Amino acid sequence: MLAFTNASEKQSPTIIGAGCKLTGDIKTDHTVQIHGEVIGNITAETVVIGRGGRVVGEVKTPVLFLHGELEGPATVNTANIFSAAQMTGTLSYRTLNITGNTGLECKLQRRKDKEK
């Protein structure tokens, strides 16, 4: 059996692997990595949607790394959007980093609220 953490560690990432499909919401204080498909909302400290990863639902996170596909709104502090990324919906952000030509077909909305 593989273990990514030991008993003294309090954090471990939630990983949805390639070929895996999850229907339901994810809420955690840690990192979520999506390499498969999630149909549901995600609230996490950091969200990574990898190449081939797909999320259909709302994402709320301080830090988003988008390499794959996101269908739905996202509320983030920092959005890191990479060349293979695709997104529809509204991206509400404080800081936006875009690398390369992306498939963004979303509304970009800069957040003016105070950081929590």
Side-chain angles (χ1 to χ4, degrees):
M1 175 181 199
L2 285 176
F4 296 105
T5 61
N6 61 41
S8 66
E9 293 177 334
K10 301 297 181 199
Q11 296 185 20
S12 61
T14 299
I15 301 171
I16 306 300
C20 181
K21 181 177 181 179
L22 173 75
T23 301
D25 297 340
I26 299 173
K27 186 172 183 177
T28 181
D29 294 335
H30 308 299
T31 299
V32 174
Q33 295 179 22
I34 309 298
H35 302 285
E37 182 175 19
V38 173
I39 309 294
N41 302 322
I42 301 174
T43 302
E45 183 63 30
T46 302
V47 174
V48 178
I49 303 174
R51 278 187 182 221
R54 180 172 184 252
V55 174
V56 178
E58 183 176 9
V59 172
K60 292 182 181 179
T61 182
V63 182
L64 171 67
F65 293 92
L66 181 60
H67 297 270
E69 183 178 346
L70 174 57
E71 293 181 31
T75 302
V76 306
N77 291 342
T78 302
N80 300 288
I81 312 296
F82 296 90
S83 62
Q86 296 183 7
M87 182 177 175
T88 57
T90 299
L91 175 59
S92 178
Y93 66 92
R94 286 199 179 92
T95 302
L96 177 61
N97 302 309
I98 299 177
T99 303
N101 296 324
T102 63
L104 294 181
E105 295 183 18
C106 62
K107 177 181 177 185
L108 298 175
Q109 180 178 10
R110 185 163 191 208
R111 293 176 55 193
K112 295 179 171 81
D113 58 333
K114 294 187 179 191
E115 195 167 338
K116 297 177 185 178

